[in-house]
């Protein structure tokens, strides 16, 4: 989100030189720089002890490709709490182990996605209303169901290719 008006007082922002950052919107009334804002979200490669990845379908995201569990962080919630909550809400699965992989800027939607590998015990899915379907997919088949190069594809590739699926995850 790019500010034209101050979200605190409603005054029109002016451009002001702010240190090494260059010109930024600035509220003269509140004396605050108005940094561009983005939404912070999580995305998870949900894996089980049988070397499978849970991939979901959400028609509002893609009618042709599967995706990973993802969701927006709520105020006061940590990224880890968001990951556990979203996995439970969307698939009905409980996280046994959660490991941060890396962040992924998603400029198209002005988001920063924090990527995790989430280990769960294999079980039947209990899908939320926002998930159309879910499947367990063997590691070697997972990338073929995701849009090549997408954030989900990058995350799954990293999560299953890092050698981190080891005895401790079983």
């Amino acid at each position: 989100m790019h500010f034209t008006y101050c979200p605190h007082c409603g005054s029109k922002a002016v451009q002001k030189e702010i240190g090494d950052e260059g010109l930024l919107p600035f509220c003269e009334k509140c004396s605050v720089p108005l940094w561009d804002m983005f939404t912070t979200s999580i995305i998870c490669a949900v894996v089980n002890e049988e070397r499978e990845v849970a991939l979901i379908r959400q028609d509002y995201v893609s009618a042709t490709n599967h995706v990973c569990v993802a969701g927006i962080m709520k105020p006061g919630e940590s990224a880890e709490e968001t990951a556990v909550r979203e996995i439970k809400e969307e698939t009905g699965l409980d996280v046994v182990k959660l490991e941060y992989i890396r962040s992924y800027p998603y400029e198209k939607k002005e988001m920063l996605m924090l990527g995790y590998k989430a280990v769960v015990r294999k079980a039947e899915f209990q899908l939320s209303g926002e998930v159309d379907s879910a499947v367990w997919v063997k590691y070697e088949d997972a990338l073929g169901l995701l849009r090549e190069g997408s954030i989900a594809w990058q995350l799954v590739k990293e999560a299953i290719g890092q050698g981190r699926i080891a005895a401790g995850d079983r």
Side-chain angles (χ1 to χ4, degrees):
M1 172 185 301
H2 309 285
F3 290 104
T4 302
Y5 295 91
C6 177
H8 308 288
C9 72
S11 296
K12 186 161 177 65
V14 298
Q15 292 294 305
K16 182 175 180 178
E17 186 85 24
I18 307 287
D20 293 338
E21 302 302 322
L23 287 175
L24 292 174
F26 185 85
C27 178
E28 293 179 315
K29 184 175 179 182
C30 297
S31 295
V32 296
L34 302 172
W35 304 97
D36 288 346
M37 293 180 62
F38 53 87
T39 302
T40 307
S41 62
I42 59 87
I43 183 167
C44 298
V46 179
V47 301
N48 68 30
E49 70 278 7
E50 295 181 23
R51 299 180 57 81
E52 296 172 317
V53 179
L55 298 178
I56 63 174
R57 290 289 302 274
Q58 295 173 299
D59 285 340
Y60 74 91
V61 174
S62 174
T64 57
N65 294 304
H66 287 80
V67 295
C68 290
V69 171
I72 305 297
M73 289 177 61
K74 294 181 178 179
E77 188 175 54
S78 72
E80 293 77 14
E81 290 167 334
T82 303
V84 169
R85 176 182 53 77
E86 287 289 344
I87 291 166
K88 183 69 170 180
E89 285 176 4
E90 293 187 8
T91 67
L93 301 171
D94 294 311
V95 174
V96 174
K97 181 179 175 186
L98 190 65
E99 181 179 351
Y100 178 74
I101 301 291
R102 73 177 184 92
S103 62
Y104 303 86
Y106 187 18
E107 293 180 36
K108 179 180 172 184
K109 293 196 176 181
E110 294 184 340
M111 287 184 171
L112 176 64
M113 303 189 84
L114 305 177
Y116 288 89
K117 179 180 82 175
V119 179
V120 301
R121 300 280 178 238
K122 186 173 182 176
E124 293 294 318
F125 297 109
Q126 303 296 319
L127 303 179
S128 76
E130 68 179 274
V131 177
D132 298 305
S133 64
V135 293
W136 286 113
V137 181
K138 292 288 185 195
Y139 283 1
E140 56 270 18
D141 300 324
L143 294 177
L145 295 178
L146 299 166
R147 186 176 56 77
E148 187 172 351
S150 69
I151 292 171
W153 185 88
Q154 293 174 55
L155 174 63
V156 168
K157 184 176 181 183
E158 291 179 59
I160 66 177
Q162 292 177 330
R164 295 183 184 188
I165 307 301
D169 294 341
R170 295 171 199 242

